[in-house]
Amino acid sequence: MIYTITLNPSIDYVVQVDQLNLGELNKMENEMMFPGGKGINVSRVLHELAYDTTALGFLGGVTGDFIAGELNNKGIRTAFTPIKGDTRINIKLKSGSETEINGRGPEIPPYEADDLLHQLEHVTGQDMVILSGSTPPSLTDDFHQQMIERTVESGAQFIIDTTGDSLKSVLPYRPLLVKPNKDELAELFGVTLSDQDDVIYYGKQLLDLGAQHAIVSMAGEGALLFTEEGIYQGQAPRRQVKNSVGAGDSMIAGFSGKFTETADVMEAFRMGLAAGSATAFADDLAKAGDIFPLQDKIDITRIAK
């Protein structure tokens, strides 16, 4: 089983306005609501690819009920920890360019946080845990570390997709995969990355600090995979990018699903690139029919030892 953890899920409320006039009454042309959150996105794509997944995290209030209902209607298994606070709403205002207004997230008292930690005691060595996204401000700074300690004690592999100190603090626990983008890698080490050689140097540092594998995504330049055996550059076919939201989550879903199936990191990288690219080329998270045909069109080249 692949468990995803979304600590701060949301309803993504997408509003389309032809022309936004600040300080005046505006009428929307279209509106949509989706279950939001990086771990939830990973579970949605895993389910689309027919891999067993269960979505974990915190949900509360009518907003939490909406998210649980939408996922259950899609046939996605969930085991969210109920909380008294209301799950947040993130507003995506589309009017020419897109403006985002993200909620902070609910207050989560220690006893509710402990409920989620106890769930990880049931994870086994046959499972994988994926931790993605931001943390509600009410949780302690070491909450990621507490979750990973429980996961590692169970013998399960874990993947983490977060940034900054939260990422750096868990590298010694040997994550199967970390996936910063180029900007996040620069921020993590407090540097400016001028060229690919800089990306390679600091990508290697992720392995030196404990990661088993690392993928650094570089938008139109593809992605770099760092392994103990070598460094590989992967590139998908160039097409019009329609949607950057969820592309990284889709990459993690493709990688984790294929790795649990084959234990082959190169095939996992290929599937990850196909899934991430398919979402970038689509209006929403990619469907299986978009992902599978891309696998054979992914170009992977070894560029360094």
Side-chain angles (χ1 to χ4, degrees):
M1 177 65 66
I2 302 175
Y3 293 95
T4 66
I5 301 178
T6 310
L7 297 178
N8 205 8
S10 66
I11 291 177
D12 284 350
Y13 182 41
V14 183
V15 178
Q16 178 74 50
V17 178
D18 278 351
Q19 182 173 339
L20 179 64
N21 298 305
L22 295 177
E24 299 181 17
L25 175 65
N26 294 272
K27 294 186 178 181
M28 65 180 67
E29 298 297 322
N30 190 28
E31 62 176 336
M32 296 174 288
M33 290 194 296
F34 302 102
K38 293 176 70 62
I40 287 173
N41 289 343
V42 175
S43 274
R44 286 177 60 192
V45 177
L46 282 168
H47 179 72
E48 179 67 27
L49 293 172
Y51 293 113
D52 287 337
T53 182
T54 299
L56 308 178
F58 300 110
L59 284 184
V62 295
T63 45
D65 291 342
F66 172 85
I67 291 172
E70 287 291 300
L71 295 178
N72 290 334
N73 288 341
K74 294 178 183 295
I76 298 172
R77 188 183 293 110
T78 64
F80 286 102
T81 299
I83 59 174
K84 290 185 178 179
D86 292 330
T87 296
R88 64 182 177 155
I89 298 174
N90 292 341
I91 300 170
K92 317 291 185 183
L93 178 59
K94 294 179 178 287
S95 180
S97 59
E98 180 172 293
T99 300
E100 297 190 35
I101 305 173
N102 286 354
R104 285 172 52 82
E107 289 290 321
I108 299 174
Y111 70 90
E112 290 178 343
D114 287 343
D115 287 343
L116 177 55
L117 291 175
H118 290 320
Q119 281 187 285
L120 294 175
E121 295 172 0
H122 303 292
V123 172
T124 75
Q126 304 301 313
D127 299 323
M128 181 181 292
V129 176
I130 299 173
L131 302 94
S132 300
S134 65
T135 302
S138 58
L139 291 177
T140 59
D141 292 340
D142 68 343
F143 194 73
H144 271 118
Q145 189 171 339
Q146 292 183 58
M147 289 190 295
I148 287 166
E149 286 175 352
R150 302 287 180 101
T151 300
V152 171
E153 287 172 4
S154 75
Q157 296 266 31
F158 76 95
I159 290 173
I160 185 163
D161 183 15
T162 189
T163 59
D165 290 339
S166 293
L167 173 57
K168 190 173 289 186
S169 68
V170 302
L171 289 172
Y173 291 90
R174 301 281 292 155
L176 174 68
L177 177 72
V178 296
K179 194 209 67 61
N181 62 34
K182 184 178 177 181
D183 292 338
E184 291 165 346
L185 181 66
E187 180 184 356
L188 181 67
F189 291 103
V191 297
T192 299
L193 303 179
S194 301
D195 53 32
Q196 184 167 281
D197 288 342
D198 290 342
V199 177
I200 289 173
Y201 177 82
Y202 286 102
K204 286 181 177 180
Q205 300 301 305
L206 295 171
L207 270 59
D208 291 343
L209 291 171
Q212 297 180 52
H213 307 95
I215 293 175
V216 178
S217 51
M218 303 185 297
E221 301 174 62
L224 297 181
L225 169 68
F226 294 81
T227 75
E228 294 293 345
E229 290 73 36
I231 302 169
Y232 302 84
Q233 183 163 14
Q235 183 71 56
R238 294 190 179 275
R239 297 181 187 173
Q240 180 185 359
V241 174
K242 297 181 179 179
N243 172 36
S244 62
V245 177
D249 307 326
S250 300
M251 177 182 287
I252 285 179
F255 182 97
S256 61
K258 181 60 75 170
F259 190 86
T260 57
E261 178 187 352
T262 66
D264 185 323
V265 69
M266 297 308 300
E267 286 305 304
F269 184 43
R270 182 179 301 279
M271 176 64 91
L273 283 167
S277 300
T279 287
F281 301 152
D283 293 321
D284 190 16
L285 296 178
K287 301 299 183 184
D290 303 317
I291 296 170
F292 289 124
L294 274 179
Q295 289 185 89
D296 293 336
K297 299 178 181 178
I298 301 296
D299 182 34
I300 298 177
T301 305
R302 181 170 179 166
I303 60 172
K305 293 183 179 180

